[in-house]
C-alpha cells in the first residue's frame, strides 16, 4: 500500500516525508502564532494567517504535481477517472462557495441603505 501511495505521488519515501515534514513545521508555527496572538496581541496573528496561506499554496502546488504525474504516467484508467480525481482535488481548493455567502451579505448590506 505504501509503495502504491508513493507511486501515485511520483515521490520516493524521503521526498514524501520531506514534503509532509515541511508542511507540519509550518502548521505548528502557525498554531503557535495563533495561540500566542490569543494570549497577547503583541504576537502577530497576521503571521499565522501568512503561514496558513503558505500551507494552502504548497498544498495546491503538490496536488497539481500529483495530478500531472498520474496523467503523464498512465495511472488513470480513462479520461473520466482523471476528471474525477481532478474534481476531488479542485473541490478542496475551491474557496468561492465558502465566500459567496459574504458577497450576498454585502449586497443586502448596501441595499438596505
Amino acid at each position: 500500500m505504501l509503495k502504491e501511495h508513493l507511486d501515485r505521488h511520483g515521490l520516493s519515501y524521503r521526498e514524501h516525508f520531506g514534503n509532509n515534514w515541511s508542511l507540519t513545521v509550518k502548521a505548528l508555527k502557525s498554531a503557535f502564532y495563533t495561540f500566542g496572538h490569543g494570549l497577547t496581541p503583541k504576537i502577530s496573528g497576521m503571521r499565522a494567517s501568512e503561514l496558513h496561506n503558505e500551507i494552502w499554496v504548497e498544498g495546491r502546488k503538490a496536488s497539481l504535481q500529483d495530478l500531472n504525474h498520474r496523467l503523464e504516467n498512465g495511472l488513470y484508467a480513462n479520461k473520466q477517472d482523471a476528471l474525477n480525481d481532478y474534481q476531488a482535488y479542485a473541490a478542496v481548493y475551491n474557496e468561492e462557495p465558502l465566500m459567496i455567502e459574504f458577497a450576498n451579505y454585502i449586497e443586502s448590506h448596501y441595499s438596505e441603505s
Side-chain angles (χ1 to χ4, degrees):
M1 180 155 146
L2 177 62
K3 182 177 176 356
E4 181 182 327
H5 179 81
L6 294 173
D7 287 346
R8 287 189 58 79
H9 283 292
L11 299 172
S12 68
Y13 179 81
R14 178 182 226 133
E15 291 167 327
H16 188 264
F17 180 80
N19 289 350
N20 286 278
W21 178 251
S22 172
L23 292 172
T24 299
V25 168
K26 284 184 183 183
L28 288 171
K29 284 182 183 178
S30 179
F32 282 115
Y33 275 106
T34 300
F35 179 72
H37 184 70
L39 293 174
T40 175
K42 291 179 184 179
I43 296 173
S44 175
M46 180 65 77
R47 183 62 185 134
S49 294
E50 290 169 351
L51 287 165
H52 284 126
N53 190 56
E54 286 177 29
I55 293 166
W56 201 244
V57 168
E58 284 186 35
R60 281 188 192 119
K61 187 174 109 183
S63 293
L64 286 169
Q65 288 171 343
D66 288 349
L67 292 167
N68 189 59
H69 167 77
R70 292 173 194 157
L71 187 63
E72 296 298 321
N73 289 282
L75 297 176
Y76 292 118
N78 53 48
K79 178 182 173 182
Q80 191 57 51
D81 207 18
L83 286 171
N84 290 344
D85 206 19
Y86 157 75
Q87 288 166 347
Y89 275 77
V92 170
Y93 297 108
N94 186 359
E95 295 130 350
E96 190 172 348
L98 301 174
M99 301 299 288
I100 203 80
E101 185 176 327
F102 190 72
N104 294 335
Y105 175 69
I106 292 169
E107 291 292 333
S108 70
H109 176 80
Y110 283 103
S111 68
E112 294 170 6
S113 300

